[in-house]
Every structure is written in C-alpha cells, then in structure tokens.
Amino acid sequence: MKPIILADRVKRLGVETAFVVAGQAAAHAAAGNRVFPFHLGDLNLPTPPNIIESAYRALKNGKTGYTANVGIPELRQTLAKELNRTRGTSYSKENVAIQPGGKPVISKFLLTLMNPGDEVLYPNPGFPIYESQIQFHGGIAVPYGTVVGDGNFTFDIDGLEAAITEKTKLLIVNDLHNPTSAECSADDRRRIAELAVKHDLLVLLDEAYFDIHYDGESTSIVSEPGMEERSVILYTFSKRFAMTGWRLGAALGPEELITIIGKLNVNDESCSNHFVQWAAMDAITGDQQHVHNILDVLKKRRDRCVDLLNDIEGISCFRPNATFYLWPDVTRAMTNKGFSSYQEFIGDILQHTGVSMCARSHFGTPLPGETNYYLRLAYSGIDLEAIEEGLARLKGYLER
Ligand code: PLP
C-alpha cells in the first residue's frame, strides 16, 4: 500500500493542550507519585442527585431513541426561557439548537459563518480550540490579549479595535475567561458591543462560565443594544451542574443561524443524548440547592488557593470573582529558579512536587510585547486538603 496522504487541513488542527499535561500527570502518578491536579478544568464534584435521578427515570421511561436534531422541544423552550430571564433576550425555542456539549458550538459557529480567508478575532491567551478550529476551517486567526484591570484581568479592547480590518468578519468573546478569569466591566461590554455593531461583526459569546460567579451575578454582552441579532451564545451544562462528562450544551442565537447549526447537527451527530436532555430539564427547573453548594465549595477553594499562592515568594495572584481558574504572575519565581521555558519549568515542578498545572504557552502563542510569565491553576478538580499540601510543596520548591 502507498503511504497514507492526509488532508492538508489536518496539519492545521490543534489540540487542547491541558489534556497533554493530564497525560504527563498520569504518567507521574503511574510511577507511584502523588499528583496534585491543578491542570484540567474538570470538576471532582458529583452531578446533583436530582439530575442523576431524572436521567435514570428518563432511561426507564424509554427516552432512548433519537430526538429531533435540534433537541427535544421541552428543553429548547426551557433554555430559551432561562436565557431570557438571565440575559434579557427574547428567544423562543426556534433560537435554540441543543448540542453534545458547549464545545461543538465553536466549530458550528465558524462553519456557518466563516469563509476561507475571513479574519476572526479571538482571545489569546484563550481556550485553544478557537485558534485550532479557525485555522482548521481555513480562516485567519487574529489574536487580542488581556490586560491588568482593576483587581483582575480584563480584555485589551484597544488592541481588539486596532486588529479589526475590512476582512474581519467574526469576533469570539469569552467574558469570564478561561484561562485568566478576565471579566468585562459594564464599560468593556458596551465598548465591545459598539465595535461589533460599528464593524458589522458576528459574535460568538462563549459563556461557559456565566454561572460560575461568586459574588453578584453575570451580565451578558448579548444584553447590549444590537447584540442579540448578531450573537450566537455558547451555553453548557458542564460547569454549572458538574456535568462535564454528560456532554450537553446548546447554541442560542438568531433563527437563521440556528437553522444552519441544526443542519450541521443532522450531518454530525444526528442529535444529543436523549435521556440526558430530560435530565438537563431537571437541572434548570429543579432544586438549585446543590448548584449553590458547588459554588460554595469552589469559592472556599479559590480563597485558599489565592491566599497560599500569594504567600509564595515571587508569585502574585488576583482573586477573581468567576470561573475556577487562577492565572498567577510567576515571573519572579520562574526567574529565581533559572527557567525561561514554561515546559521545563512546569516539568520540573511536577517532578519535584507532584503539582501539575498548565502554563501561558498552553493557551496560544505569546503575543509581541508580553513580558511576564503566567501559570494556570484550576481548582475545580482538587480538594482543600490537596490544595494545601500541593501548594505547600510548591512553596518549598520555589523558595528553596
Ligand atoms: N469554552 C470554554 C472557554 C471552556 O473552558 C470550555 C471547557 O473547558 C468549553 C467552552 C467547552 O466545554 P464543554 O464542551 O464541556 O461544554
């Protein structure tokens, strides 16, 4: 047989590099070492029992066949109502296409709207799948960065504006941001919306962490004037309800776009898991006490992590009000230890302490002008006791 020749586009396909770090952590654990898993944005908390019961009931009631490609009408209607309540939109079920997770919304948004050669603005540092999918489908990925704001990171909106050209068609925004936890102020939201309207951009609002907000409530950019008709919202059940492995999310937006996204569903997965959709109904409409408990646990972990990180010589870390990620500035700590490569630095930390985490380099190529070094710690998959032990070991290693 001749050698297999892969499609050209495969060369442009990226990966979610946090999973690579997970592999290294697993190898370290398999060699008999204790690992402190700060690397993956998964939760080690159980899905609330009412949701599990509901899935079980649905299975017993025969909710095991295909559903409509865009999902069961009951869940579409429920989600439309939920977003109208929390974002002030005027969606009906026709504005909702259920998806097997939030992630598929990224590629389906791009496939629906992006032609090869179109420029797409996306956050960098950012969720690595944006860049991967833009390039895979032949678009031009144009990064914009984050900046230090008032007690937290926010987005470099001046940089975003400067990067807009006549080829810019799409904008991806991930307010409540993975990996930095950057959060838009009211003024930032207004400015982003004004830019989108002025330059007639269509916008993917990745709201994966909209409900992981500790004090106060999230506000969506979709609520700004002119945004509902030009935005697709990425909604996911993964984080809010600790349902990462159930794989359920949705795309919400103008009916014209949702119809095409529905056609992509027909072509890709036919439909999302039937019984999971009924369980998701319960997630939204059922008892929210367990969801509050999840947030309480995460908040305690955040506070412990931030206090312990700031107690380490050479590290400084904000206390973000949302997501479950920390993005400490480790410039001094890294220089003190004599490292200039992230890969070597986090590899050495893993070997000496068992602490496993991601670095700036896992979230896109560093932008010109970036001088400081950052790591990303997720506290969603690690208990308080392990946080304390792991960060004590990190302190010992860095201050040695
Ligand atoms: N968007 C962002 C920013 C994320 O961090 C994630 C998951 O980590 C997702 C989307 C996708 O999540 P899921 O496919 O589990 O809904």
Side-chain angles (χ1 to χ4, degrees):
M1 184 184 146
K2 284 191 196 158
I4 294 171
I5 299 172
L6 299 175
D8 291 343
R9 74 176 77 83
V10 172
K11 298 191 194 95
R12 304 193 299 266
L13 193 59
V15 288
E16 195 171 330
T17 41
F19 286 108
V20 177
V21 179
Q24 289 159 351
H28 192 68
N33 302 296
R34 180 158 185 208
V35 166
F36 300 89
F38 286 98
H39 53 269
L40 203 57
D42 203 351
L43 292 111
N44 66 344
L45 301 166
T47 303
N50 59 311
I51 302 175
I52 293 179
E53 281 303 320
S54 173
Y56 187 54
R57 230 179 8 256
L59 277 169
K60 286 209 294 194
N61 289 340
K63 308 292 189 195
T64 52
Y66 293 123
T67 71
N69 309 107
V70 284
I72 57 172
E74 292 84 348
L75 180 59
R76 295 172 73 204
Q77 188 62 49
T78 298
L79 262 186
K81 261 178 74 182
E82 168 74 359
L83 269 84
N84 294 344
R85 182 182 71 78
T86 52
R87 276 97 161 157
T89 44
S90 52
Y91 292 144
S92 61
K93 71 177 184 341
E94 283 69 32
N95 300 105
V96 185
I98 302 300
Q99 303 296 322
K103 197 184 257 182
V105 180
I106 299 170
S107 62
K108 288 176 185 173
F109 171 79
L110 295 170
L111 284 167
T112 301
L113 291 165
M114 186 186 74
N115 280 317
D118 285 343
E119 291 181 5
V120 184
L121 287 159
Y122 75 102
N124 176 354
F127 192 46
I129 298 309
Y130 307 138
E131 190 180 86
S132 167
Q133 287 292 311
I134 296 165
Q135 293 177 344
F136 183 58
H137 296 299
I140 299 174
V142 180
Y144 63 92
T146 46
V147 287
V148 171
D150 184 16
N152 192 15
F153 296 97
T154 185
F155 298 94
D156 178 9
I157 301 174
D158 293 334
L160 190 164
E161 182 168 17
I164 297 174
T165 72
E166 75 273 9
K167 285 201 192 147
T168 311
K169 180 160 185 205
L170 307 176
L171 166 64
I172 300 178
V173 183
N174 175 214
D175 188 17
L176 313 181
H177 179 232
N178 177 9
T180 69
S181 291
E183 180 171 357
C184 283
S185 64
D187 196 45
D188 295 335
R189 287 192 295 273
R190 182 188 53 73
R191 283 189 67 199
I192 291 174
E194 282 173 3
L195 284 175
V197 171
K198 179 172 167 200
H199 297 278
D200 203 17
L201 307 178
L202 288 143
V203 184
L204 174 65
L205 295 175
D206 181 340
E207 298 193 343
Y209 299 94
F210 190 85
D211 297 293
I212 308 294
H213 208 153
Y214 301 113
D215 296 319
E217 302 213 320
S218 300
T219 307
S220 172
I221 295 175
V222 81
S223 315
E224 296 292 322
M227 288 307 286
E228 184 172 337
E229 58 263 40
R230 63 179 63 251
S231 302
V232 171
I233 294 180
L234 179 160
Y235 181 91
T236 180
F237 289 85
S238 285
K239 318 286 176 177
R240 172 179 178 190
F241 301 107
M243 288 174 70
T244 52
W246 295 62
R247 308 310 302 137
L248 201 71
L252 295 100
E255 191 176 340
E256 191 185 347
L257 302 183
I258 293 303
T259 305
I260 308 296
I261 289 177
K263 275 194 186 170
L264 289 167
N265 286 8
V266 179
N267 280 269
D268 286 352
E269 69 276 347
S270 293
C271 64
S272 299
N273 289 329
H274 192 165
F275 59 95
V276 173
Q277 294 186 53
W278 286 101
M281 289 277 296
D282 225 293
I284 302 265
T285 58
D287 181 5
Q288 297 299 304
Q289 190 52 48
H290 292 282
V291 176
H292 296 310
N293 295 348
I294 290 173
L295 279 180
D296 286 345
V297 170
L298 290 175
K299 190 175 178 187
K300 285 198 183 85
R301 291 182 186 179
R302 175 203 64 179
D303 286 338
R304 202 72 196 110
C305 281
V306 171
D307 290 344
L308 291 170
L309 284 170
N310 282 323
D311 190 44
I312 299 176
E313 174 61 25
I315 293 190
S316 84
C317 185
F318 288 131
R319 192 181 303 269
N321 194 22
T323 84
F324 36 63
Y325 302 115
L326 299 174
W327 187 247
D329 182 331
V330 296
T331 314
R332 277 196 304 121
M334 200 165 151
T335 322
N336 289 347
K337 290 300 266 187
F339 286 101
S340 56
S341 145
Y342 279 123
Q343 215 44 50
E344 288 171 15
F345 186 46
I346 61 169
D348 205 53
I349 292 175
L350 180 65
Q351 288 309 317
H352 286 92
T353 66
V355 171
S356 169
M357 54 200 163
C358 295
R360 161 67 179 102
S361 52
H362 294 110
F363 300 94
T365 311
L367 305 178
E370 275 184 36
T371 49
N372 292 18
Y373 289 97
Y374 294 93
L375 298 178
R376 191 201 73 172
L377 282 80
Y379 50 85
S380 49
I382 179 162
D383 294 332
L384 270 182
E385 176 276 322
I387 286 173
E388 288 174 359
E389 170 71 21
L391 295 185
R393 289 193 191 190
L394 183 67
K395 182 178 168 72
Y397 162 87
L398 288 174
E399 294 183 354
R400 201 174 300 142

